Structures are given as structure tokens and as C-alpha cells.
Amino acid sequence: MEIGQKNINIHDYIRVILKHQWTILTIFAVIVVSVVIFSFTATPIYKATTRIIIEKENPKVVSFQEVMSIDSSGMDYYQTQYKLIESRAVANEVIKRLKLDQNEEFVPKPGFFSDIWETVISPITYVKSLLKTETPVPSALEEGLVEPYSPLVDPFIKQVKVSPIRNSRLVDLSFEAKDPVLAAKIANTVARAYIHLSLQTKLKATSDAVNWLNQQVEQEKKKVEQAEQALLKYKQQQGIVTDFSSNVETITAQKLAELNKQVVDATSRRVEAETRFRQAKNLEHNLDSMGSIPEVLQNLLIQDIKKQEVELHKRLSEFSKRYGANHPQIIALNNELKTLNGRKMGEIQRVVNALQNEYRVALAKEQSLKGALGQQKGETLSMNEKAIDYNVLKREAETSREMFDVLIKRFKETSMTEDIRTGNIRIVDPAEIPKSPVKPKKTQNILLAIVVGLSMGVGLAFFLEYIDSTIKLPDEVSHLLKVPYLGPVPALASEAEAEGKEAEKKPEDDLISHFSPKSTASESYRGIRTALLLSSADRPPQVILVCSSAPREGKTITSANIAITMAQAGGKILVLDCDMRRPKLHKLFGTDRDKGMSNILAGFCGMDEAVVHTHIPNVDIIPSGPIPPNPSEILSSHHMKELIEQARTRYERIIIDSPPITAVTDAVILSSFADGVVIVIRAGETHREIIRNGIAQLKAVNAHILGAVLNGVEMGRDSYYYYQYYYYYYGEDGEKRKKTRPKKKAVGRYGEAIEATKDYGGRIKKAWMKEQGENLKRVWINMRRPRS
């Protein structure tokens, strides 16, 4: 099944599980039985637990609260303590106190298997030592600088378990052992060894701190004197009387900010004045544009002149209507207009001069403020440089003094606490002897084994299904191969094979549609016949090529049975054995192949001489004939086309059996003579890529693919096609009886497909019996029309 090709429903999952049920049951049984045996045969393990409390404490022995204070309430402190409990030092101390190197649980007595292992591993160890070429470097252990740890330390640490209790300072120390008494002893001893190690660490730190503090006090005393002398010398050199306080720096910063603000304001005013002046200067000789300048518009004298001009223009307009252009009054009015225009130009020039003066004043003020700002910056930088050097020297002196005071204080405190043996860790509940083992947990193990067994079994089943690339289901034919699905064919087996006996295969085993017309296989072939005859809307295909992608897929048996079922429906059927490489059709019908297709195509005989009338009514065959050396060339000759045309006039249906598509090109050549191609697929055996390759070769020559038949389908209880069906048979007395096989419907949509196929066959049979004189083609078309 490919993801995204079809919708998956619950029936598909059930089908996969039923198919691989024995795989699932086998894995389930192996896992569950193994876990049960282990759970009931394993040695019981007992667990003892000691509860301790780790209080908050800031040890003031060697730590400085101001610099490197230890916060024991933090998670890093507690995580450190948990690791100390599991440290090699604690483990080694417990082993020495309880003499565990002499205990049989930790050092078992040598037995048969241990002797064998020692015999095997000793030569390997010796060879490894000989292969080492590096010169060993003496370790601290070999030099006698440290005490060696017991070889039991690492196995011992693995059995110690530290469990902090949530939202508290309580910690449980647990130890697992086969002996309950030993487990309780070890748990209590681990707690005591940890407390002892913690206390010894603190006392050792205190002793080291006293010596270190004594040395540091003398060094810091000299640093204080040197720092204070350097500060005093710098003040004398720079003439500094008072300290550089934060108020001085604040005032300086305020002055700079104020000057900077004034410079920004002066720059803005200068830019504004310059813009107004440049605009007026550019429009100075353009009276119409000058009127748009705000200063000109707001000038009262200019506004009064404009009013007088308007009045004069009005009077001039009135006089022009009554008098000529040379009238004295008109000349007087024009002179007045010129006078007013001159006054207006003078006033505009005065406005432009005023804007120029305003711009010069703003520019001078801006330059003055920038100079003051630069001077203030220089003074500030100079003062900052002195303040930096001064503060550095002052901080060094103060830091040295503070460190000296701290060291004196710590030296006195450490000297007083050197002999005090107190700690922040104590035992709350000592371990008791456990009464019941904690391992193995039989119920939990069995339940887990059931879950894991089922999960692994089902997972393996779906994995096997996923990697199975064969075609098994009708949906895979439609969705993956993109060809119509014609129907299934059950797996055929003789009675002797079913009983496990060695026997020759009989013709009735393959020609089941003739010898067992009421069997499930016969019904399947009739369903395929129906699907083929209804595959075209205008007329059913007359020449049908039956082929397969790979050998041994059952195409010859399928060809023969399709021909038999078509003959049973009426009409003469001809089967051509065009498999001239491994012919089989003549064996099915019990004839020879002395004359056949190769003779006809080579021109040695005619069609009438090669046709064999079989014992099955209305079924004729033409065997392959002698095997030629060049089957592909013979099949592509004009004789083949003439044979097909001649057969079309004599027979209602022609079935062509061909070799596999992917093996040779015979089937591809024959597809050009056929009205349609039927592809036979062996269910669960033929891989998708092989089938796709065959279909691609057929499509490359524009062959009409009618559909695919799934051959060899298992109809058993655990198969994909498990459904309820009935069949009739006749007893020896000639009475018709009904036999029921109590089987369920097929899982999912496949049962519906077969039921539909049976329905088609039944309807065709009834129509044929009722309308004996009518053409069967019209009956099938009428049947198909209501269903579309």
C-alpha cells in the first residue's frame, strides 16, 4: 500500500493483522513466555532506604559574602550534594567499613563458568599487554601519593540511588541487594559516610582558610598603604581640593545639554530666516510672485497700496468707456498707478532688506552658540579625564581598605570556628530491613510483556506488509496501476494436491469453468466475462489479447476459462496459442500441436487445417504449432493480420494467448491486432514495478487495455476474499440440493466487488434463458444502462 494512493479504513488494518496473525502470535508468545520465565526464576532483590535532610547553610569559613557567597538553597548546590553521595570516596569508605570485599554478594566464590571465563580471557589480556608499545607514565597511585580505591567501587555506585523529595530538603538514599539485612546496613552506612565526608571537607577547608587568610592580611595591608599614597600624590599634582562628586558631573551635563539645545534652536531659526530671505531675493523683480511671500502679504502699507490700485483701476475702467486713451483724466490715473507701483516696489525692497537682516542676526547667534558649546565640551572632557584618573585611584584605595577589613573579620571568625564540628546534614529516618523484594515485579513485567509483544508483533506485521510490493487487492490495481479491475480468480488446486499427495494434474483442474460450472472459480470467470463484454459502450471487444507481465501468472488457464465461459453464453469462440516459446494451450485441451499458428503464419497451411475442435462445445483452438526460431518476426507478418480478419468473420470472439510482456516483444506486437488487452496478475507474487513496466510497453504502442485480472487469490478464512456464497449441486439421485458454506463477507470493499460480479453473471444467465432468440449483445447493453 502506498501512502496517498487510497483511503485507508479499519478493514485494511484488520486484513493485515489477520494475514500475519501467526507472526504476531509467535512474537507475542516468545516475549511473554520469556518474561514470565525470567520473572519467576530471577533472584529477588531487596531495597533499603535511608532518609536524610540537607539544611540551608552558608559556610563562612573560606567564603566572602561580598564576593563569592555560596547559596545552598540553589539547585546547583543540591545537585552537587547528590553527586557527592554517589562519589567514589563515599563508596570506598562504605566498602572499607563493612568489609564488602569479603562479602559473597560482591565477591562471589569462583564456580565452573567463572573458571571457564578466566581461562578464555587471560590469553586475550596477555596478548593486549604485549601489543602495547607506549611507555606507561607513572600515575599518582603508583607514586603512592593517593590511596587506591577498591575495585568494587564502580559496581557499588551503580546500586546506590539518590531520590530527592519534591519541594523539600529531604533526600532518600536507597541501596538494592540480594540480602535484605545487608541492604539496610549499606544504606545507613552510606548516609553516615556522606555526613562524615561533608564534615571533614568543611574542617579541612577551615584549617586551610586560617593559613591562607593570615597570608592575605599581610598582603592587603601593603596594598592599602600603596593605594592611599598614590591617591594623595595625584591630588597634589592636579590641584584637586574636593572630590569629583556626582553633582558636579550632573551640572556639567546639564550645561552641555542646555547649550546643545540652544544651538539646535538657533540653527532652526537661522535656516528658517535664510529660507525666507532666499525666497524673497529670488522673487524680488517679479511683482506677481512677490505677492505670495507671507511678509509681503502681511505688510499694511502694501495692502493699502493694493486697495488704492484697485480703486484706480476701477475708475480707469469707467473713464475708458467714456473717454479716449489720451484724455487728461486717464493720463492722470495712469500716472497715479505708476506712482503707487513705485511705492509698492520700494516697500517690497524694504521687506527683503528686513529679511536679510533677520537672517544675518540668526547666523551670528548660531555661530556664537556653537563656539560656546565647543568651549564647554573641551572643559568637560578635561574634567572627565581628571575625574577618571582620580576615581580609579580612589576606588583602588577603597577596595584595598574594604578587602583588608573583610580579611581581618574573616580571620577572626575562622579562628573561632576552627574547632567547631557542626554540619547541615543529618539522618531523619534510618533504613530498616525490607520485608518484601522490589524486583522482579512480576505483574508489571507480564503486563509490559503483553503490551510490548502485541506492539512488536503488530508493528512487524505492518512492516512486512509495507515492504511487500506485490499486487494483492483490487484497489491496488485501480489506484496504483491505473487500469480497470475485471475481477478475481481463486487459487486452483487438484484434490490430490489439497490432500498433500503427489499426483499428475488433470485437465479438469485447469478447465474448471467446464468441469465444475457451479464452483467459485467458474463464477469468478463468468464475472470476468461479463466485465469484458461490458467494457465498451458501443460494442464488446471481439479480439481479446490475454497476457501477463511475468511468467507463471496463469494467463493460459485464464484465456481458456474465459473462452469457455463465453462459449457457455452462446457464440463460437476461437483461442489462438501465440506463445511460441513455451506453448501450453494444447496440453490444457488434450490435443497435439503438429499444425498451428507457426504453420499458418509461415504459409504452410490454411486456417481450416490448423483449427482444432475441442470436446467443449463452441470452443475451437489453434495450437502454437512447431516452435519457430523467430517468433516475433512471424507474429508481426501480414499473415497474422489476414488470420485475424478471417477469424473475425467466423467466430464471435477470438482469445489470443501470448508470452509475458517483459520477457519478449510478442505480446506488444499482438496488441496491435487485438481490440483490447487483458493483463493477468498473480496475486501476492508479481511486483508492481514489473507490472507497470509491462503496462508502459503496451501504452507505448497505444494498446487498449481492458483491465486486469487478479489470479491465484486465496479464498480461505484468513484471505482477502472471505465472503458468504452458496452453490448448487446434484446428488446421485438427480435431486437438486443446496449447500451453504458458512463464510463471512469479504473484508472491506472486495466482498462487494465479488458480489457485484456474481450479480452480473446471474442477470446475464437469466436474460439469456429468457431471450433465447435475441442478440446477447443487446441484452448486455440494456443491463448496463440502468446501472450507469
Side-chain angles (χ1 to χ4, degrees):
M1 292 179 290
E2 293 185 2
I3 299 174
Q5 296 294 329
K6 66 172 185 174
N7 295 326
I8 305 298
N9 56 33
I10 188 64
H11 300 296
D12 297 313
Y13 295 112
I14 295 175
R15 175 187 58 77
V16 174
I17 293 174
L18 292 177
K19 177 183 176 182
H20 300 280
Q21 59 180 340
W22 290 113
T23 301
I24 297 173
L25 291 175
T26 301
I27 294 178
F28 174 78
V30 169
I31 292 177
V32 172
V33 171
S34 302
V35 172
V36 169
I37 294 174
F38 169 78
S39 299
F40 283 92
T41 57
T43 303
I45 303 297
Y46 295 86
K47 180 179 179 180
T49 302
T50 300
R51 178 165 293 179
I52 65 174
I53 184 171
I54 304 176
E55 296 283 1
K56 286 184 177 181
E57 183 188 34
N58 283 329
K60 301 178 182 179
V61 177
V62 294
S63 62
F64 304 105
Q65 292 178 345
E66 297 82 359
V67 180
M68 45 188 302
S69 177
I70 299 176
D71 182 12
S72 61
S73 62
M75 285 303 298
D76 55 346
Y77 171 77
Y78 282 98
Q79 292 297 329
T80 303
Q81 298 305 311
Y82 303 153
K83 292 301 179 182
L84 286 176
I85 297 173
E86 299 174 345
S87 64
R88 297 169 61 85
V90 173
N92 192 64
E93 182 65 21
V94 174
I95 292 171
K96 287 196 301 183
R97 290 188 182 185
L98 298 180
K99 298 181 180 179
L100 298 180
D101 53 352
Q102 302 175 10
N103 190 286
E104 293 185 2
E105 183 167 339
F106 289 88
V107 186
K109 293 181 179 180
F112 176 73
F113 292 103
S114 60
D115 292 341
I116 294 177
W117 175 253
E118 185 66 25
T119 304
V120 173
I121 202 65
S122 295
I124 298 175
T125 305
Y126 178 72
V127 171
K128 286 183 178 180
S129 63
L130 293 178
L131 294 176
K132 288 183 178 180
T133 57
E134 298 179 358
T135 304
V137 179
S139 62
L141 183 62
E142 295 174 350
E143 294 291 337
L145 300 178
V146 296
E147 183 180 357
Y149 283 141
S150 170
L152 302 177
V153 166
D154 292 333
F156 181 88
I157 292 175
K158 294 179 180 179
Q159 295 178 257
V160 178
K161 184 177 181 182
V162 180
S163 305
I165 299 177
R166 199 183 192 92
N167 299 326
S168 70
R169 302 185 189 94
L170 299 174
V171 181
D172 286 341
L173 308 182
S174 304
F175 191 85
E176 296 179 356
K178 299 176 183 178
D179 185 359
V181 178
L182 181 62
K185 285 183 179 180
I186 293 176
N188 291 325
T189 307
V190 168
R192 297 190 189 101
Y194 163 62
I195 294 173
H196 177 75
L197 176 65
S198 177
L199 187 59
Q200 288 295 327
T201 302
K202 291 180 181 180
L203 294 177
K204 180 67 167 58
T206 303
S207 176
D208 294 341
V210 170
N211 297 330
W212 181 79
L213 287 172
N214 192 19
Q215 299 174 2
Q216 293 299 317
V217 166
E218 295 297 329
Q219 295 178 6
E220 289 299 326
K221 183 178 179 181
K222 295 179 180 179
K223 290 182 180 179
V224 170
E225 294 176 354
Q226 293 174 358
E228 290 180 348
Q229 290 294 332
L231 178 61
L232 180 60
K233 184 177 180 181
Y234 183 77
K235 291 174 68 177
Q236 292 174 353
Q237 291 175 351
Q238 300 297 330
I240 299 174
V241 180
T242 59
D243 293 340
F244 289 94
S245 62
S246 59
N247 293 333
V248 176
E249 296 178 356
T250 303
I251 294 172
T252 304
Q254 290 176 352
K255 288 181 179 180
L256 283 174
E258 184 65 26
L259 283 173
N260 189 53
K261 181 180 179 183
Q262 292 177 6
V263 169
V264 172
D265 293 341
T267 303
S268 300
R269 287 193 295 270
R270 189 265 305 167
V271 171
E272 182 181 359
E274 183 179 3
T275 303
R276 291 200 302 270
F277 168 68
R278 299 296 182 192
Q279 184 181 12
K281 189 67 175 176
N282 293 334
L283 302 176
E284 182 178 3
H285 299 290
N286 191 343
L287 294 178
D288 295 334
S289 300
M290 285 294 292
S292 62
I293 299 174
E295 288 74 6
V296 175
L297 290 174
Q298 296 172 4
N299 190 286
L300 297 178
L301 181 57
I302 295 175
Q303 292 177 1
D304 185 56
I305 293 173
K306 285 184 177 182
K307 289 179 182 180
Q308 293 178 21
E309 287 179 342
V310 170
E311 184 66 25
L312 288 175
H313 279 291
K314 183 177 180 183
R315 291 173 59 191
L316 182 62
S317 177
E318 292 176 356
F319 289 154
S320 296
K321 294 178 182 179
R322 289 184 289 176
Y323 309 109
N326 297 322
H327 193 271
Q329 291 185 359
I330 293 177
I331 294 173
L333 289 174
N334 287 330
N335 292 332
E336 289 182 12
L337 285 174
K338 291 180 180 179
T339 303
L340 289 175
N341 190 33
R343 292 174 59 192
K344 185 170 64 173
M345 288 297 298
E347 187 64 22
I348 289 174
Q349 184 62 40
R350 190 184 66 80
V351 171
V352 172
N353 293 336
L355 290 175
Q356 183 178 12
N357 293 333
E358 183 180 350
Y359 161 65
R360 290 174 178 174
V361 171
L363 179 61
K365 186 176 181 179
E366 178 190 11
Q367 293 175 351
S368 176
L369 289 173
K370 285 183 177 180
L373 178 61
Q375 183 180 359
Q376 184 64 35
K377 285 183 178 179
E379 294 176 358
T380 303
L381 291 174
S382 177
M383 185 181 68
N384 288 340
E385 291 177 358
K386 293 180 181 179
I388 291 172
D389 296 337
Y390 175 81
N391 289 330
V392 168
L393 294 174
K394 183 180 179 181
R395 278 196 300 270
E396 289 180 358
E398 291 175 351
T399 302
S400 299
R401 171 59 63 182
E402 291 174 359
M403 185 62 70
F404 179 73
D405 295 339
V406 169
L407 288 173
I408 291 295
K409 182 180 179 181
R410 288 288 177 264
F411 179 76
K412 294 179 180 179
E413 292 177 354
T414 305
S415 300
M416 293 176 62
T417 59
E418 185 176 4
D419 296 329
I420 299 177
R421 293 178 173 268
T422 60
N424 61 327
I425 306 169
R426 64 179 186 275
I427 297 176
V428 178
D429 292 326
E432 297 180 355
I433 300 175
K435 298 180 180 179
S436 58
V438 294
K439 294 180 182 178
K441 299 178 181 179
K442 299 177 182 178
T443 304
Q444 178 180 336
N445 292 347
I446 294 174
L447 291 176
L448 185 61
I450 292 174
V451 174
V452 173
L454 287 176
S455 301
M456 292 185 63
V458 173
L460 180 60
F462 280 96
F463 176 73
L464 294 175
E465 189 71 14
Y466 176 77
I467 63 176
D468 186 4
S469 63
T470 60
I471 298 295
K472 303 175 289 298
L473 307 177
D475 278 2
E476 295 177 342
V477 175
S478 303
H479 290 86
L480 301 182
L481 303 181
K482 307 298 182 183
V483 296
Y485 174 64
L486 300 177
V489 176
L492 303 178
S494 65
E495 296 180 1
E497 289 174 339
E499 296 175 0
K501 300 177 181 179
E502 296 292 335
E504 288 288 335
K505 206 169 186 180
K506 302 175 183 179
E508 52 266 28
D509 296 334
D510 294 330
L511 304 180
I512 193 168
S513 297
H514 175 68
F515 292 101
S516 299
K518 296 181 177 62
S519 64
T520 306
S522 300
E523 192 66 39
S524 298
Y525 283 119
R526 284 192 284 273
I528 295 171
R529 174 197 66 189
T530 304
L532 287 174
L533 296 177
L534 299 179
S535 60
S536 299
D538 49 356
R539 65 183 183 86
Q542 185 179 6
V543 180
I544 301 174
L545 173 66
V546 180
C547 62
S548 63
S549 299
R552 296 186 176 275
E553 296 201 51
K555 61 184 181 306
T556 302
I557 297 176
T558 302
S559 304
N561 283 278
I562 290 176
I564 293 171
T565 56
M566 287 185 174
Q568 291 172 352
K572 295 188 65 177
I573 308 300
L574 176 64
V575 184
L576 304 180
D577 190 356
C578 293
D579 187 353
M580 297 185 183
R581 302 172 190 272
R582 297 183 62 182
K584 184 182 176 184
L585 189 66
H586 64 283
K587 295 180 181 179
L588 293 182
F589 289 94
T591 64
D592 53 36
R593 57 181 179 90
D594 296 337
K595 290 184 179 181
M597 293 294 299
S598 59
N599 302 97
I600 297 174
L601 299 179
F604 295 142
C605 69
M607 174 180 171
D608 295 332
E609 300 178 41
V611 170
V612 177
H613 303 287
T614 66
H615 57 280
I616 301 174
N618 295 327
V619 177
D620 294 343
I621 68 170
I622 298 180
S624 64
I627 297 177
N630 53 349
S632 300
E633 287 77 3
I634 290 179
L635 291 174
S636 61
S637 66
H638 67 280
H639 293 290
M640 184 66 188
K641 183 177 181 181
E642 294 174 355
L643 175 63
I644 295 297
E645 295 298 331
Q646 186 179 0
R648 284 181 184 270
T649 61
R650 297 186 183 184
Y651 294 91
E652 187 171 350
R653 301 282 180 269
I654 299 99
I655 309 298
I656 302 176
D657 182 26
S658 67
I661 304 173
T662 56
V664 291
T665 60
D666 298 3
V668 178
I669 295 172
L670 293 171
S671 65
S672 62
F673 303 112
D675 299 333
V677 180
V678 176
I679 301 175
V680 180
I681 301 172
R682 176 70 65 175
E685 294 185 12
T686 311
H687 293 275
R688 301 169 190 167
E689 294 304 322
I690 297 177
I691 304 173
R692 284 173 177 162
N693 186 23
I695 294 174
Q697 293 184 41
L698 292 174
K699 289 183 177 179
V701 296
N702 297 321
H704 180 208
I705 300 176
L706 300 176
V709 174
L710 273 183
N711 189 28
V713 174
E714 294 293 338
M715 293 292 187
R717 178 179 294 271
D718 300 330
S719 68
Y720 312 126
Y721 299 87
Y722 184 56
Y723 64 97
Q724 171 96 21
Y725 65 92
Y726 301 91
Y727 71 94
Y728 292 88
Y729 70 100
Y730 286 90
E732 294 178 359
D733 53 359
E735 182 181 358
K736 186 177 181 180
R737 301 175 183 173
K738 179 179 179 181
K739 185 174 180 181
T740 305
R741 294 188 179 180
K743 296 186 178 181
K744 301 178 182 179
K745 281 190 176 182
V747 176
R749 299 179 289 276
Y750 320 123
E752 299 175 2
I754 294 184
E755 291 296 331
T757 303
K758 292 177 62 180
D759 184 55
Y760 272 127
R763 292 170 62 186
I764 291 174
K765 182 177 180 180
K766 291 179 182 178
W768 179 72
M769 294 175 65
K770 183 177 180 180
E771 306 291 341
Q772 296 182 8
E774 295 184 7
N775 192 330
L776 185 61
K777 171 184 173 182
R778 294 170 54 194
V779 176
W780 286 327
I781 295 176
N782 291 334
M783 288 172 55
R784 190 173 185 268
R785 190 170 297 146
R787 294 181 58 86
S788 60

